[in-house]
PDB file of all heavy atoms in Angstrom:
ATOM      1  N   GLU A   1     -13.021   6.520   6.554  1.00 97.00           N
ATOM      2  CA  GLU A   1     -13.199   5.125   6.159  1.00 97.00           C
ATOM      3  C   GLU A   1     -11.800   4.512   6.118  1.00 97.00           C
ATOM      4  O   GLU A   1     -10.917   5.009   5.414  1.00 97.00           O
ATOM      5  CB  GLU A   1     -13.844   5.044   4.770  1.00 97.00           C
ATOM      6  CG  GLU A   1     -14.000   3.629   4.269  1.00 97.00           C
ATOM      7  CD  GLU A   1     -14.492   3.570   2.839  1.00 97.00           C
ATOM      8  OE1 GLU A   1     -14.984   4.586   2.316  1.00 97.00           O
ATOM      9  OE2 GLU A   1     -14.369   2.494   2.252  1.00 97.00           O
ATOM     10  N   ILE A   2     -11.601   3.443   6.874  1.00 98.00           N
ATOM     11  CA  ILE A   2     -10.267   2.863   7.034  1.00 98.00           C
ATOM     12  C   ILE A   2     -10.190   1.478   6.406  1.00 98.00           C
ATOM     13  O   ILE A   2     -11.063   0.636   6.617  1.00 98.00           O
ATOM     14  CB  ILE A   2      -9.901   2.754   8.538  1.00 98.00           C
ATOM     15  CG1 ILE A   2      -9.987   4.115   9.223  1.00 98.00           C
ATOM     16  CG2 ILE A   2      -8.526   2.128   8.715  1.00 98.00           C
ATOM     17  CD1 ILE A   2      -9.042   5.167   8.700  1.00 98.00           C
ATOM     18  N   SER A   3      -9.124   1.271   5.648  1.00 98.00           N
ATOM     19  CA  SER A   3      -8.737  -0.066   5.197  1.00 98.00           C
ATOM     20  C   SER A   3      -7.391  -0.356   5.836  1.00 98.00           C
ATOM     21  O   SER A   3      -6.615   0.565   6.116  1.00 98.00           O
ATOM     22  CB  SER A   3      -8.610  -0.126   3.670  1.00 98.00           C
ATOM     23  OG  SER A   3      -9.858   0.071   3.063  1.00 98.00           O
ATOM     24  N   LYS A   4      -7.109  -1.637   6.067  1.00 98.00           N
ATOM     25  CA  LYS A   4      -5.881  -2.019   6.755  1.00 98.00           C
ATOM     26  C   LYS A   4      -5.118  -3.043   5.934  1.00 98.00           C
ATOM     27  O   LYS A   4      -5.718  -3.887   5.270  1.00 98.00           O
ATOM     28  CB  LYS A   4      -6.195  -2.642   8.114  1.00 98.00           C
ATOM     29  CG  LYS A   4      -7.012  -1.773   9.029  1.00 98.00           C
ATOM     30  CD  LYS A   4      -7.394  -2.539  10.271  1.00 98.00           C
ATOM     31  CE  LYS A   4      -8.506  -1.834  11.024  1.00 98.00           C
ATOM     32  NZ  LYS A   4      -9.004  -2.625  12.141  1.00 98.00           N
ATOM     33  N   ALA A   5      -3.791  -2.967   6.022  1.00 98.00           N
ATOM     34  CA  ALA A   5      -2.923  -3.952   5.381  1.00 98.00           C
ATOM     35  C   ALA A   5      -1.682  -4.128   6.246  1.00 98.00           C
ATOM     36  O   ALA A   5      -1.191  -3.164   6.833  1.00 98.00           O
ATOM     37  CB  ALA A   5      -2.529  -3.501   3.985  1.00 98.00           C
ATOM     38  N   MET A   6      -1.207  -5.375   6.318  1.00 98.00           N
ATOM     39  CA  MET A   6      -0.027  -5.663   7.125  1.00 98.00           C
ATOM     40  C   MET A   6       1.249  -5.842   6.298  1.00 98.00           C
ATOM     41  O   MET A   6       2.326  -5.989   6.854  1.00 98.00           O
ATOM     42  CB  MET A   6      -0.270  -6.887   7.999  1.00 98.00           C
ATOM     43  CG  MET A   6      -1.345  -6.621   9.044  1.00 98.00           C
ATOM     44  SD  MET A   6      -1.491  -7.917  10.272  1.00 98.00           S
ATOM     45  CE  MET A   6       0.020  -7.700  11.194  1.00 98.00           C
ATOM     46  N   ASP A   7       1.118  -5.820   4.964  1.00 97.00           N
ATOM     47  CA  ASP A   7       2.295  -5.900   4.102  1.00 97.00           C
ATOM     48  C   ASP A   7       1.968  -5.288   2.750  1.00 97.00           C
ATOM     49  O   ASP A   7       0.824  -4.889   2.486  1.00 97.00           O
ATOM     50  CB  ASP A   7       2.796  -7.338   3.964  1.00 97.00           C
ATOM     51  CG  ASP A   7       1.776  -8.304   3.390  1.00 97.00           C
ATOM     52  OD1 ASP A   7       0.954  -7.887   2.540  1.00 97.00           O
ATOM     53  OD2 ASP A   7       1.800  -9.490   3.767  1.00 97.00           O
ATOM     54  N   ALA A   8       2.965  -5.202   1.892  1.00 98.00           N
ATOM     55  CA  ALA A   8       2.793  -4.550   0.591  1.00 98.00           C
ATOM     56  C   ALA A   8       1.789  -5.276  -0.287  1.00 98.00           C
ATOM     57  O   ALA A   8       1.011  -4.630  -1.003  1.00 98.00           O
ATOM     58  CB  ALA A   8       4.148  -4.454  -0.119  1.00 98.00           C
ATOM     59  N   GLU A   9       1.783  -6.587  -0.235  1.00 97.00           N
ATOM     60  CA  GLU A   9       0.854  -7.354  -1.068  1.00 97.00           C
ATOM     61  C   GLU A   9      -0.594  -7.086  -0.668  1.00 97.00           C
ATOM     62  O   GLU A   9      -1.455  -6.873  -1.519  1.00 97.00           O
ATOM     63  CB  GLU A   9       1.180  -8.852  -0.995  1.00 97.00           C
ATOM     64  CG  GLU A   9       2.507  -9.227  -1.654  1.00 97.00           C
ATOM     65  CD  GLU A   9       3.747  -8.806  -0.865  1.00 97.00           C
ATOM     66  OE1 GLU A   9       3.685  -8.616   0.383  1.00 97.00           O
ATOM     67  OE2 GLU A   9       4.805  -8.627  -1.507  1.00 97.00           O
ATOM     68  N   GLN A  10      -0.866  -7.081   0.638  1.00 98.00           N
ATOM     69  CA  GLN A  10      -2.214  -6.758   1.111  1.00 98.00           C
ATOM     70  C   GLN A  10      -2.582  -5.322   0.745  1.00 98.00           C
ATOM     71  O   GLN A  10      -3.728  -5.041   0.383  1.00 98.00           O
ATOM     72  CB  GLN A  10      -2.318  -6.939   2.632  1.00 98.00           C
ATOM     73  CG  GLN A  10      -2.326  -8.368   3.096  1.00 98.00           C
ATOM     74  CD  GLN A  10      -2.420  -8.464   4.628  1.00 98.00           C
ATOM     75  OE1 GLN A  10      -2.539  -7.467   5.333  1.00 98.00           O
ATOM     76  NE2 GLN A  10      -2.357  -9.690   5.126  1.00 98.00           N
ATOM     77  N   ALA A  11      -1.622  -4.428   0.823  1.00 98.00           N
ATOM     78  CA  ALA A  11      -1.880  -3.028   0.472  1.00 98.00           C
ATOM     79  C   ALA A  11      -2.268  -2.904  -0.998  1.00 98.00           C
ATOM     80  O   ALA A  11      -3.232  -2.210  -1.335  1.00 98.00           O
ATOM     81  CB  ALA A  11      -0.650  -2.172   0.775  1.00 98.00           C
ATOM     82  N   GLN A  12      -1.530  -3.576  -1.861  1.00 98.00           N
ATOM     83  CA  GLN A  12      -1.831  -3.518  -3.296  1.00 98.00           C
ATOM     84  C   GLN A  12      -3.217  -4.096  -3.592  1.00 98.00           C
ATOM     85  O   GLN A  12      -3.958  -3.559  -4.415  1.00 98.00           O
ATOM     86  CB  GLN A  12      -0.754  -4.259  -4.089  1.00 98.00           C
ATOM     87  CG  GLN A  12       0.587  -3.522  -4.061  1.00 98.00           C
ATOM     88  CD  GLN A  12       1.681  -4.312  -4.722  1.00 98.00           C
ATOM     89  OE1 GLN A  12       1.983  -4.077  -5.884  1.00 98.00           O
ATOM     90  NE2 GLN A  12       2.259  -5.253  -3.994  1.00 98.00           N
ATOM     91  N   GLU A  13      -3.574  -5.163  -2.912  1.00 98.00           N
ATOM     92  CA  GLU A  13      -4.896  -5.762  -3.097  1.00 98.00           C
ATOM     93  C   GLU A  13      -5.979  -4.799  -2.627  1.00 98.00           C
ATOM     94  O   GLU A  13      -7.012  -4.625  -3.280  1.00 98.00           O
ATOM     95  CB  GLU A  13      -4.994  -7.093  -2.352  1.00 98.00           C
ATOM     96  CG  GLU A  13      -6.331  -7.783  -2.501  1.00 98.00           C
ATOM     97  CD  GLU A  13      -6.711  -8.082  -3.949  1.00 98.00           C
ATOM     98  OE1 GLU A  13      -5.828  -8.400  -4.756  1.00 98.00           O
ATOM     99  OE2 GLU A  13      -7.919  -7.990  -4.271  1.00 98.00           O
ATOM    100  N   SER A  14      -5.758  -4.140  -1.504  1.00 98.00           N
ATOM    101  CA  SER A  14      -6.725  -3.171  -0.985  1.00 98.00           C
ATOM    102  C   SER A  14      -6.908  -2.017  -1.966  1.00 98.00           C
ATOM    103  O   SER A  14      -8.028  -1.570  -2.208  1.00 98.00           O
ATOM    104  CB  SER A  14      -6.262  -2.643   0.377  1.00 98.00           C
ATOM    105  OG  SER A  14      -7.164  -1.700   0.877  1.00 98.00           O
ATOM    106  N   ILE A  15      -5.816  -1.547  -2.548  1.00 98.00           N
ATOM    107  CA  ILE A  15      -5.877  -0.445  -3.516  1.00 98.00           C
ATOM    108  C   ILE A  15      -6.646  -0.874  -4.761  1.00 98.00           C
ATOM    109  O   ILE A  15      -7.413  -0.091  -5.323  1.00 98.00           O
ATOM    110  CB  ILE A  15      -4.452   0.032  -3.870  1.00 98.00           C
ATOM    111  CG1 ILE A  15      -3.812   0.695  -2.647  1.00 98.00           C
ATOM    112  CG2 ILE A  15      -4.473   0.984  -5.068  1.00 98.00           C
ATOM    113  CD1 ILE A  15      -2.314   0.883  -2.761  1.00 98.00           C
ATOM    114  N   ARG A  16      -6.487  -2.124  -5.189  1.00 97.00           N
ATOM    115  CA  ARG A  16      -7.237  -2.625  -6.351  1.00 97.00           C
ATOM    116  C   ARG A  16      -8.742  -2.646  -6.066  1.00 97.00           C
ATOM    117  O   ARG A  16      -9.544  -2.380  -6.949  1.00 97.00           O
ATOM    118  CB  ARG A  16      -6.758  -4.031  -6.750  1.00 97.00           C
ATOM    119  CG  ARG A  16      -5.486  -4.015  -7.579  1.00 97.00           C
ATOM    120  CD  ARG A  16      -5.183  -5.380  -8.167  1.00 97.00           C
ATOM    121  NE  ARG A  16      -4.674  -6.337  -7.199  1.00 97.00           N
ATOM    122  CZ  ARG A  16      -3.412  -6.431  -6.809  1.00 97.00           C
ATOM    123  NH1 ARG A  16      -2.508  -5.609  -7.296  1.00 97.00           N
ATOM    124  NH2 ARG A  16      -3.050  -7.340  -5.929  1.00 97.00           N
ATOM    125  N   ARG A  17      -9.101  -2.972  -4.813  1.00 97.00           N
ATOM    126  CA  ARG A  17     -10.521  -3.011  -4.446  1.00 97.00           C
ATOM    127  C   ARG A  17     -11.128  -1.618  -4.366  1.00 97.00           C
ATOM    128  O   ARG A  17     -12.243  -1.385  -4.822  1.00 97.00           O
ATOM    129  CB  ARG A  17     -10.712  -3.730  -3.117  1.00 97.00           C
ATOM    130  CG  ARG A  17     -10.608  -5.236  -3.208  1.00 97.00           C
ATOM    131  CD  ARG A  17     -11.105  -5.929  -1.942  1.00 97.00           C
ATOM    132  NE  ARG A  17     -10.492  -5.458  -0.722  1.00 97.00           N
ATOM    133  CZ  ARG A  17      -9.359  -5.937  -0.199  1.00 97.00           C
ATOM    134  NH1 ARG A  17      -8.703  -6.905  -0.803  1.00 97.00           N
ATOM    135  NH2 ARG A  17      -8.892  -5.441   0.916  1.00 97.00           N
ATOM    136  N   LYS A  18     -10.402  -0.688  -3.739  1.00 97.00           N
ATOM    137  CA  LYS A  18     -10.906   0.679  -3.588  1.00 97.00           C
ATOM    138  C   LYS A  18      -9.734   1.632  -3.432  1.00 97.00           C
ATOM    139  O   LYS A  18      -8.912   1.481  -2.527  1.00 97.00           O
ATOM    140  CB  LYS A  18     -11.842   0.795  -2.382  1.00 97.00           C
ATOM    141  CG  LYS A  18     -12.424   2.189  -2.269  1.00 97.00           C
ATOM    142  CD  LYS A  18     -13.524   2.292  -1.262  1.00 97.00           C
ATOM    143  CE  LYS A  18     -14.059   3.717  -1.278  1.00 97.00           C
ATOM    144  NZ  LYS A  18     -15.038   3.923  -0.246  1.00 97.00           N
ATOM    145  N   MET A  19      -9.691   2.603  -4.298  1.00 97.00           N
ATOM    146  CA  MET A  19      -8.604   3.588  -4.298  1.00 97.00           C
ATOM    147  C   MET A  19      -8.713   4.485  -3.065  1.00 97.00           C
ATOM    148  O   MET A  19      -9.739   5.138  -2.857  1.00 97.00           O
ATOM    149  CB  MET A  19      -8.698   4.430  -5.566  1.00 97.00           C
ATOM    150  CG  MET A  19      -7.473   5.249  -5.847  1.00 97.00           C
ATOM    151  SD  MET A  19      -6.068   4.300  -6.435  1.00 97.00           S
ATOM    152  CE  MET A  19      -6.667   3.689  -7.999  1.00 97.00           C
ATOM    153  N   PRO A  20      -7.664   4.530  -2.236  1.00 98.00           N
ATOM    154  CA  PRO A  20      -7.707   5.410  -1.060  1.00 98.00           C
ATOM    155  C   PRO A  20      -7.376   6.852  -1.423  1.00 98.00           C
ATOM    156  O   PRO A  20      -6.761   7.129  -2.455  1.00 98.00           O
ATOM    157  CB  PRO A  20      -6.619   4.814  -0.162  1.00 98.00           C
ATOM    158  CG  PRO A  20      -5.639   4.218  -1.112  1.00 98.00           C
ATOM    159  CD  PRO A  20      -6.452   3.717  -2.283  1.00 98.00           C
ATOM    160  N   ASP A  21      -7.775   7.761  -0.559  1.00 97.00           N
ATOM    161  CA  ASP A  21      -7.405   9.164  -0.695  1.00 97.00           C
ATOM    162  C   ASP A  21      -6.026   9.409  -0.099  1.00 97.00           C
ATOM    163  O   ASP A  21      -5.332  10.351  -0.489  1.00 97.00           O
ATOM    164  CB  ASP A  21      -8.423  10.051   0.032  1.00 97.00           C
ATOM    165  CG  ASP A  21      -9.811   9.898  -0.559  1.00 97.00           C
ATOM    166  OD1 ASP A  21      -9.975  10.208  -1.757  1.00 97.00           O
ATOM    167  OD2 ASP A  21     -10.725   9.445   0.164  1.00 97.00           O
ATOM    168  N   LEU A  22      -5.650   8.553   0.859  1.00 97.00           N
ATOM    169  CA  LEU A  22      -4.389   8.708   1.579  1.00 97.00           C
ATOM    170  C   LEU A  22      -3.915   7.333   2.023  1.00 97.00           C
ATOM    171  O   LEU A  22      -4.732   6.498   2.415  1.00 97.00           O
ATOM    172  CB  LEU A  22      -4.605   9.608   2.807  1.00 97.00           C
ATOM    173  CG  LEU A  22      -3.453   9.762   3.801  1.00 97.00           C
ATOM    174  CD1 LEU A  22      -2.265  10.490   3.171  1.00 97.00           C
ATOM    175  CD2 LEU A  22      -3.927  10.496   5.051  1.00 97.00           C
ATOM    176  N   ILE A  23      -2.599   7.137   1.973  1.00 98.00           N
ATOM    177  CA  ILE A  23      -1.996   5.923   2.533  1.00 98.00           C
ATOM    178  C   ILE A  23      -1.037   6.353   3.634  1.00 98.00           C
ATOM    179  O   ILE A  23      -0.166   7.201   3.417  1.00 98.00           O
ATOM    180  CB  ILE A  23      -1.225   5.117   1.470  1.00 98.00           C
ATOM    181  CG1 ILE A  23      -2.156   4.654   0.351  1.00 98.00           C
ATOM    182  CG2 ILE A  23      -0.531   3.907   2.121  1.00 98.00           C
ATOM    183  CD1 ILE A  23      -1.444   3.995  -0.824  1.00 98.00           C
ATOM    184  N   LEU A  24      -1.216   5.777   4.823  1.00 97.00           N
ATOM    185  CA  LEU A  24      -0.253   5.925   5.913  1.00 97.00           C
ATOM    186  C   LEU A  24       0.616   4.679   5.842  1.00 97.00           C
ATOM    187  O   LEU A  24       0.158   3.578   6.140  1.00 97.00           O
ATOM    188  CB  LEU A  24      -0.959   6.056   7.257  1.00 97.00           C
ATOM    189  CG  LEU A  24      -1.855   7.289   7.392  1.00 97.00           C
ATOM    190  CD1 LEU A  24      -2.555   7.289   8.748  1.00 97.00           C
ATOM    191  CD2 LEU A  24      -1.056   8.575   7.210  1.00 97.00           C
ATOM    192  N   MET A  25       1.857   4.845   5.407  1.00 96.00           N
ATOM    193  CA  MET A  25       2.724   3.731   5.015  1.00 96.00           C
ATOM    194  C   MET A  25       3.866   3.519   6.000  1.00 96.00           C
ATOM    195  O   MET A  25       4.757   4.367   6.123  1.00 96.00           O
ATOM    196  CB  MET A  25       3.303   4.037   3.626  1.00 96.00           C
ATOM    197  CG  MET A  25       4.252   2.994   3.086  1.00 96.00           C
ATOM    198  SD  MET A  25       3.408   1.598   2.375  1.00 96.00           S
ATOM    199  CE  MET A  25       2.781   2.336   0.851  1.00 96.00           C
ATOM    200  N   ASP A  26       3.846   2.378   6.671  1.00 94.00           N
ATOM    201  CA  ASP A  26       4.992   1.965   7.476  1.00 94.00           C
ATOM    202  C   ASP A  26       6.134   1.667   6.508  1.00 94.00           C
ATOM    203  O   ASP A  26       5.935   1.046   5.468  1.00 94.00           O
ATOM    204  CB  ASP A  26       4.625   0.720   8.285  1.00 94.00           C
ATOM    205  CG  ASP A  26       5.746   0.219   9.175  1.00 94.00           C
ATOM    206  OD1 ASP A  26       6.656   1.004   9.507  1.00 94.00           O
ATOM    207  OD2 ASP A  26       5.703  -0.959   9.550  1.00 94.00           O
ATOM    208  N   ILE A  27       7.317   2.112   6.842  1.00 91.00           N
ATOM    209  CA  ILE A  27       8.461   1.904   5.962  1.00 91.00           C
ATOM    210  C   ILE A  27       9.054   0.513   6.146  1.00 91.00           C
ATOM    211  O   ILE A  27       9.474  -0.126   5.188  1.00 91.00           O
ATOM    212  CB  ILE A  27       9.536   2.989   6.234  1.00 91.00           C
ATOM    213  CG1 ILE A  27       8.976   4.368   5.917  1.00 91.00           C
ATOM    214  CG2 ILE A  27      10.801   2.732   5.435  1.00 91.00           C
ATOM    215  CD1 ILE A  27       8.353   4.493   4.549  1.00 91.00           C
ATOM    216  N   GLY A  28       9.078   0.009   7.383  1.00 89.00           N
ATOM    217  CA  GLY A  28       9.724  -1.261   7.681  1.00 89.00           C
ATOM    218  C   GLY A  28       8.804  -2.463   7.533  1.00 89.00           C
ATOM    219  O   GLY A  28       8.582  -3.188   8.497  1.00 89.00           O
ATOM    220  N   LEU A  29       8.264  -2.668   6.339  1.00 93.00           N
ATOM    221  CA  LEU A  29       7.381  -3.814   6.100  1.00 93.00           C
ATOM    222  C   LEU A  29       8.200  -5.055   5.755  1.00 93.00           C
ATOM    223  O   LEU A  29       9.268  -4.939   5.167  1.00 93.00           O
ATOM    224  CB  LEU A  29       6.423  -3.513   4.931  1.00 93.00           C
ATOM    225  CG  LEU A  29       5.459  -2.351   5.116  1.00 93.00           C
ATOM    226  CD1 LEU A  29       4.711  -2.099   3.809  1.00 93.00           C
ATOM    227  CD2 LEU A  29       4.489  -2.643   6.244  1.00 93.00           C
ATOM    228  N   PRO A  30       7.676  -6.241   6.067  1.00 93.00           N
ATOM    229  CA  PRO A  30       8.350  -7.470   5.646  1.00 93.00           C
ATOM    230  C   PRO A  30       8.194  -7.645   4.137  1.00 93.00           C
ATOM    231  O   PRO A  30       7.229  -7.170   3.541  1.00 93.00           O
ATOM    232  CB  PRO A  30       7.600  -8.563   6.408  1.00 93.00           C
ATOM    233  CG  PRO A  30       6.235  -7.994   6.641  1.00 93.00           C
ATOM    234  CD  PRO A  30       6.445  -6.507   6.810  1.00 93.00           C
ATOM    235  N   GLY A  31       9.151  -8.303   3.507  1.00 95.00           N
ATOM    236  CA  GLY A  31       9.079  -8.475   2.057  1.00 95.00           C
ATOM    237  C   GLY A  31       9.371  -7.151   1.382  1.00 95.00           C
ATOM    238  O   GLY A  31      10.395  -6.523   1.637  1.00 95.00           O
ATOM    239  N   MET A  32       8.458  -6.703   0.538  1.00 96.00           N
ATOM    240  CA  MET A  32       8.617  -5.401  -0.113  1.00 96.00           C
ATOM    241  C   MET A  32       8.431  -4.307   0.930  1.00 96.00           C
ATOM    242  O   MET A  32       7.376  -4.222   1.557  1.00 96.00           O
ATOM    243  CB  MET A  32       7.580  -5.240  -1.238  1.00 96.00           C
ATOM    244  CG  MET A  32       7.724  -3.930  -2.008  1.00 96.00           C
ATOM    245  SD  MET A  32       6.353  -3.547  -3.153  1.00 96.00           S
ATOM    246  CE  MET A  32       6.263  -5.006  -4.150  1.00 96.00           C
ATOM    247  N   ASP A  33       9.449  -3.472   1.124  1.00 94.00           N
ATOM    248  CA  ASP A  33       9.340  -2.425   2.142  1.00 94.00           C
ATOM    249  C   ASP A  33       8.468  -1.273   1.651  1.00 94.00           C
ATOM    250  O   ASP A  33       8.094  -1.199   0.480  1.00 94.00           O
ATOM    251  CB  ASP A  33      10.717  -1.943   2.594  1.00 94.00           C
ATOM    252  CG  ASP A  33      11.488  -1.213   1.498  1.00 94.00           C
ATOM    253  OD1 ASP A  33      10.921  -0.321   0.844  1.00 94.00           O
ATOM    254  OD2 ASP A  33      12.675  -1.523   1.317  1.00 94.00           O
ATOM    255  N   GLY A  34       8.133  -0.383   2.577  1.00 94.00           N
ATOM    256  CA  GLY A  34       7.215   0.704   2.276  1.00 94.00           C
ATOM    257  C   GLY A  34       7.733   1.694   1.246  1.00 94.00           C
ATOM    258  O   GLY A  34       6.956   2.240   0.464  1.00 94.00           O
ATOM    259  N   LEU A  35       9.044   1.936   1.221  1.00 94.00           N
ATOM    260  CA  LEU A  35       9.585   2.866   0.232  1.00 94.00           C
ATOM    261  C   LEU A  35       9.538   2.271  -1.169  1.00 94.00           C
ATOM    262  O   LEU A  35       9.253   2.979  -2.144  1.00 94.00           O
ATOM    263  CB  LEU A  35      11.014   3.278   0.596  1.00 94.00           C
ATOM    264  CG  LEU A  35      11.156   4.126   1.862  1.00 94.00           C
ATOM    265  CD1 LEU A  35      12.621   4.512   2.081  1.00 94.00           C
ATOM    266  CD2 LEU A  35      10.281   5.357   1.812  1.00 94.00           C
ATOM    267  N   THR A  36       9.785   0.970  -1.277  1.00 96.00           N
ATOM    268  CA  THR A  36       9.697   0.305  -2.573  1.00 96.00           C
ATOM    269  C   THR A  36       8.260   0.345  -3.086  1.00 96.00           C
ATOM    270  O   THR A  36       8.017   0.650  -4.260  1.00 96.00           O
ATOM    271  CB  THR A  36      10.204  -1.145  -2.480  1.00 96.00           C
ATOM    272  OG1 THR A  36      11.566  -1.133  -2.025  1.00 96.00           O
ATOM    273  CG2 THR A  36      10.125  -1.857  -3.816  1.00 96.00           C
ATOM    274  N   LEU A  37       7.304   0.058  -2.203  1.00 97.00           N
ATOM    275  CA  LEU A  37       5.901   0.120  -2.602  1.00 97.00           C
ATOM    276  C   LEU A  37       5.515   1.547  -2.998  1.00 97.00           C
ATOM    277  O   LEU A  37       4.808   1.754  -3.982  1.00 97.00           O
ATOM    278  CB  LEU A  37       4.988  -0.393  -1.482  1.00 97.00           C
ATOM    279  CG  LEU A  37       3.486  -0.327  -1.776  1.00 97.00           C
ATOM    280  CD1 LEU A  37       3.127  -1.072  -3.054  1.00 97.00           C
ATOM    281  CD2 LEU A  37       2.700  -0.880  -0.590  1.00 97.00           C
ATOM    282  N   THR A  38       5.998   2.533  -2.260  1.00 97.00           N
ATOM    283  CA  THR A  38       5.711   3.932  -2.593  1.00 97.00           C
ATOM    284  C   THR A  38       6.226   4.262  -3.989  1.00 97.00           C
ATOM    285  O   THR A  38       5.501   4.853  -4.798  1.00 97.00           O
ATOM    286  CB  THR A  38       6.334   4.880  -1.550  1.00 97.00           C
ATOM    287  OG1 THR A  38       5.718   4.639  -0.290  1.00 97.00           O
ATOM    288  CG2 THR A  38       6.144   6.340  -1.939  1.00 97.00           C
ATOM    289  N   ARG A  39       7.467   3.882  -4.285  1.00 96.00           N
ATOM    290  CA  ARG A  39       8.029   4.147  -5.622  1.00 96.00           C
ATOM    291  C   ARG A  39       7.174   3.486  -6.699  1.00 96.00           C
ATOM    292  O   ARG A  39       6.906   4.080  -7.749  1.00 96.00           O
ATOM    293  CB  ARG A  39       9.467   3.627  -5.710  1.00 96.00           C
ATOM    294  CG  ARG A  39      10.472   4.467  -4.989  1.00 96.00           C
ATOM    295  CD  ARG A  39      11.901   3.975  -5.232  1.00 96.00           C
ATOM    296  NE  ARG A  39      12.775   4.414  -4.185  1.00 96.00           N
ATOM    297  CZ  ARG A  39      13.098   3.712  -3.105  1.00 96.00           C
ATOM    298  NH1 ARG A  39      12.636   2.489  -2.940  1.00 96.00           N
ATOM    299  NH2 ARG A  39      13.899   4.218  -2.199  1.00 96.00           N
ATOM    300  N   LYS A  40       6.747   2.269  -6.435  1.00 97.00           N
ATOM    301  CA  LYS A  40       5.916   1.529  -7.396  1.00 97.00           C
ATOM    302  C   LYS A  40       4.583   2.245  -7.629  1.00 97.00           C
ATOM    303  O   LYS A  40       4.143   2.402  -8.767  1.00 97.00           O
ATOM    304  CB  LYS A  40       5.688   0.101  -6.872  1.00 97.00           C
ATOM    305  CG  LYS A  40       4.928  -0.791  -7.807  1.00 97.00           C
ATOM    306  CD  LYS A  40       4.854  -2.209  -7.251  1.00 97.00           C
ATOM    307  CE  LYS A  40       4.048  -3.076  -8.196  1.00 97.00           C
ATOM    308  NZ  LYS A  40       4.003  -4.459  -7.768  1.00 97.00           N
ATOM    309  N   LEU A  41       3.942   2.683  -6.558  1.00 98.00           N
ATOM    310  CA  LEU A  41       2.653   3.376  -6.682  1.00 98.00           C
ATOM    311  C   LEU A  41       2.805   4.721  -7.385  1.00 98.00           C
ATOM    312  O   LEU A  41       1.961   5.102  -8.204  1.00 98.00           O
ATOM    313  CB  LEU A  41       2.021   3.564  -5.302  1.00 98.00           C
ATOM    314  CG  LEU A  41       1.587   2.282  -4.585  1.00 98.00           C
ATOM    315  CD1 LEU A  41       1.204   2.584  -3.142  1.00 98.00           C
ATOM    316  CD2 LEU A  41       0.451   1.597  -5.323  1.00 98.00           C
ATOM    317  N   LYS A  42       3.865   5.453  -7.084  1.00 97.00           N
ATOM    318  CA  LYS A  42       4.073   6.774  -7.688  1.00 97.00           C
ATOM    319  C   LYS A  42       4.485   6.666  -9.160  1.00 97.00           C
ATOM    320  O   LYS A  42       4.292   7.613  -9.921  1.00 97.00           O
ATOM    321  CB  LYS A  42       5.114   7.572  -6.894  1.00 97.00           C
ATOM    322  CG  LYS A  42       4.641   7.983  -5.506  1.00 97.00           C
ATOM    323  CD  LYS A  42       3.448   8.926  -5.567  1.00 97.00           C
ATOM    324  CE  LYS A  42       3.056   9.431  -4.197  1.00 97.00           C
ATOM    325  NZ  LYS A  42       2.020  10.462  -4.219  1.00 97.00           N
ATOM    326  N   ALA A  43       5.005   5.520  -9.570  1.00 97.00           N
ATOM    327  CA  ALA A  43       5.398   5.314 -10.976  1.00 97.00           C
ATOM    328  C   ALA A  43       4.228   4.873 -11.849  1.00 97.00           C
ATOM    329  O   ALA A  43       4.331   4.887 -13.075  1.00 97.00           O
ATOM    330  CB  ALA A  43       6.521   4.279 -11.051  1.00 97.00           C
ATOM    331  N   ASP A  44       3.112   4.497 -11.233  1.00 97.00           N
ATOM    332  CA  ASP A  44       1.947   3.988 -11.962  1.00 97.00           C
ATOM    333  C   ASP A  44       0.932   5.118 -12.142  1.00 97.00           C
ATOM    334  O   ASP A  44       0.497   5.740 -11.161  1.00 97.00           O
ATOM    335  CB  ASP A  44       1.335   2.831 -11.168  1.00 97.00           C
ATOM    336  CG  ASP A  44       0.194   2.133 -11.877  1.00 97.00           C
ATOM    337  OD1 ASP A  44      -0.473   2.755 -12.738  1.00 97.00           O
ATOM    338  OD2 ASP A  44      -0.047   0.961 -11.561  1.00 97.00           O
TER     339      ASP A  44
END
């Protein structure tokens, strides 16, 4: 089952709707980059 996001904000919204088992995270995202989002998710 696939959900898609083109930036960190869309990713966070998708996670709020349904928790994924795995995230395939592009690092070079516009705005908040993938490593920053990863740190944020792992700290929560």
Side-chain angles (χ1 to χ4, degrees):
E1 177 186 345
I2 303 298
S3 294
K4 304 174 195 173
M6 294 190 70
D7 59 33
E9 292 73 24
Q10 287 180 3
Q12 291 174 97
E13 180 58 36
S14 179
I15 292 165
R16 279 191 285 277
R17 283 193 307 272
K18 183 170 182 185
M19 194 74 65
D21 299 299
L22 173 66
I23 299 173
L24 297 178
M25 179 81 73
D26 181 22
I27 297 308
L29 298 173
M32 183 190 306
D33 67 48
L35 293 182
T36 301
L37 178 56
T38 296
R39 285 186 202 95
K40 184 175 178 177
L41 293 170
K42 292 297 185 173
D44 185 335

